[in-house]
Amino acid sequence: MSWKSLSWSAAALLLLLTVATPLNFITTFLIMTPFVVLYTLLKPKVFILHLLPIGVLAYFLSGGMGPVVMIIGFFFLVPSVAMGHLYKRGSTAKLAIIVGFVVVLAQLLLELVLFSAMFDINLKAELTSMLTDSLKQLETSNLFESGWAAETASAFSEEVMKMLPMLLLVSAFFFTIVTHWLSRMSLRTVGIQAPALPQAKTWRVQRSLVLYYLIAMVASLIISNEDNGYWSIVISNLVPILRFVFTVQAIGFFFYLADAKKWPRVVPLLLCIPLMLFPPAYIIGLIDAAFPLRKYFVK
């Protein structure tokens, strides 16, 4: 049992303990990394021996939040083992990210089904109730007319539920991509070279996605906003997902441009900041995917 494995076990324990604190909004994106490193570094039996004290200590040190911490810990453990196993086999970064993404997304969907079935939870009703209680403070201060809180909460909850598939997809993607990035850097500290993603300048999406986006946009104009049917939900989620994909394409375009023009490496990073903060900038990626834009910048 080396000091490296012990230090990463301590990191896993500390991150699990933050689940019961306000820091969990940030630390949940970090929890998978120490487990990925431990699984990649250790043999399966030794890995389990490390897990046991981590779980026991996390449970008792979290007090009344112990069961919640254990559930969340197990949630992140499964995709961590899957990604760590692929790193250990020398698989590509793309495969590790896809597998991690699918596992996280499947678990999110499974938890929604289980909680709804076991505890008879109506997510829309619960969200509406919570928002109504919060918005009534504005209503009672005479800033808005009576009934505004309930109507606003109901409308907002309706939109959130329609966008839930996209939110789950984006959440699973960020959990996985952040874990890969941190795990790859962390594995270097223990002498293991994890596979890297292709360089950003090579990122390209299928041109057919442009056609799908145009079809989705036309459909969104045809379908009524009051329609809560299957296709309305599909379209309302497909449009922002494709826009996110084109934003990634735009990032690849800026890195390609920086490489072609021999710009300093910091330039494309700085250009990506307004790209992420200004949503309509996805149009750059859309144009780059639809037309051979990059060849005009190469002599």
Side-chain angles (χ1 to χ4, degrees):
M1 191 174 293
S2 66
W3 66 269
K4 293 180 180 179
S5 61
L6 290 176
S7 61
W8 281 107
S9 295
L13 175 60
L14 290 174
L15 287 172
L16 284 176
L17 292 176
T18 61
V19 171
T21 71
L23 295 173
N24 57 21
F25 181 76
I26 298 174
T27 56
T28 48
F29 287 94
L30 310 178
I31 291 176
M32 289 172 61
T33 299
F35 291 117
V36 171
V37 174
L38 284 171
Y39 188 88
T40 309
L41 179 64
L42 304 172
K43 293 181 179 180
K45 291 182 179 180
V46 181
F47 174 71
I48 294 174
L49 291 177
H50 279 67
L51 285 184
L52 293 177
I54 292 173
V56 172
L57 289 173
Y59 180 85
F60 287 105
L61 292 177
S62 299
M65 288 289 291
V68 176
V69 170
M70 293 302 295
I71 291 174
I72 294 177
F74 182 76
F75 175 91
F76 287 114
L77 176 63
V78 177
S80 299
V81 169
M83 294 180 71
H85 181 69
L86 291 171
Y87 292 147
K88 187 179 291 188
R89 289 178 52 188
S91 300
T92 63
K94 181 179 179 180
L95 179 60
I97 290 173
I98 291 175
V99 170
F101 168 79
V102 170
V103 173
V104 172
L105 181 61
Q107 289 188 141
L108 287 172
L109 293 172
L110 181 61
E111 285 198 355
L112 281 177
V113 172
L114 289 177
F115 275 102
S116 298
M118 294 174 61
F119 301 103
D120 194 24
I121 296 176
N122 186 319
L123 293 178
K124 181 182 176 182
E126 291 293 331
L127 181 59
T128 301
S129 176
M130 181 178 66
L131 289 173
T132 302
D133 293 340
S134 300
L135 294 175
K136 276 186 176 179
Q137 298 177 4
L138 298 176
E139 190 175 284
T140 54
S141 61
N142 296 323
L143 292 176
F144 298 94
E145 61 183 10
S146 177
W148 172 84
E151 293 178 3
T152 303
S154 178
F156 184 78
S157 299
E158 186 71 39
E159 291 302 314
V160 170
M161 294 307 297
K162 288 177 66 175
M163 300 298 290
L164 186 59
M166 187 206 70
L167 295 175
L168 293 177
L169 286 168
V170 172
S171 297
F173 174 78
F174 275 109
F175 274 125
T176 310
I177 203 71
V178 169
T179 298
H180 170 74
W181 180 61
L182 292 175
S183 297
R184 185 168 180 269
M185 292 193 301
S186 301
L187 285 169
R188 289 179 183 176
T189 65
V190 294
I192 298 176
Q193 290 295 325
L197 281 171
Q199 292 183 319
K201 67 180 181 180
T202 66
W203 293 356
R204 299 296 297 266
V205 300
Q206 295 293 326
R207 186 172 295 181
S208 59
L209 291 180
V210 177
L211 177 61
Y212 298 152
Y213 177 72
L214 293 176
I215 294 173
M217 285 298 297
V218 172
S220 67
L221 296 175
I222 297 174
I223 298 176
S224 172
N225 291 331
E226 297 179 357
D227 186 359
N228 295 319
Y230 172 78
W231 287 110
S232 175
I233 295 175
V234 170
I235 296 301
S236 63
N237 284 275
L238 184 60
V239 170
I241 288 173
L242 288 175
R243 286 179 177 175
F244 176 76
V245 170
F246 291 130
T247 300
V248 174
Q249 172 91 4
I251 292 174
F253 170 75
F254 282 131
F255 274 90
Y256 178 87
L257 185 61
D259 181 71
K261 298 298 183 180
K262 307 300 180 183
W263 291 344
R265 295 185 64 179
V266 70
V267 173
L269 293 174
L270 293 176
L271 290 173
C272 288
I273 296 175
L275 181 66
M276 300 300 293
L277 297 178
F278 186 61
Y282 77 89
I283 294 175
I284 298 172
L286 176 64
I287 296 173
D288 184 42
F291 305 100
L293 188 61
R294 302 188 185 195
K295 75 175 185 179
Y296 296 115
F297 294 92
V298 179
K299 294 181 181 180

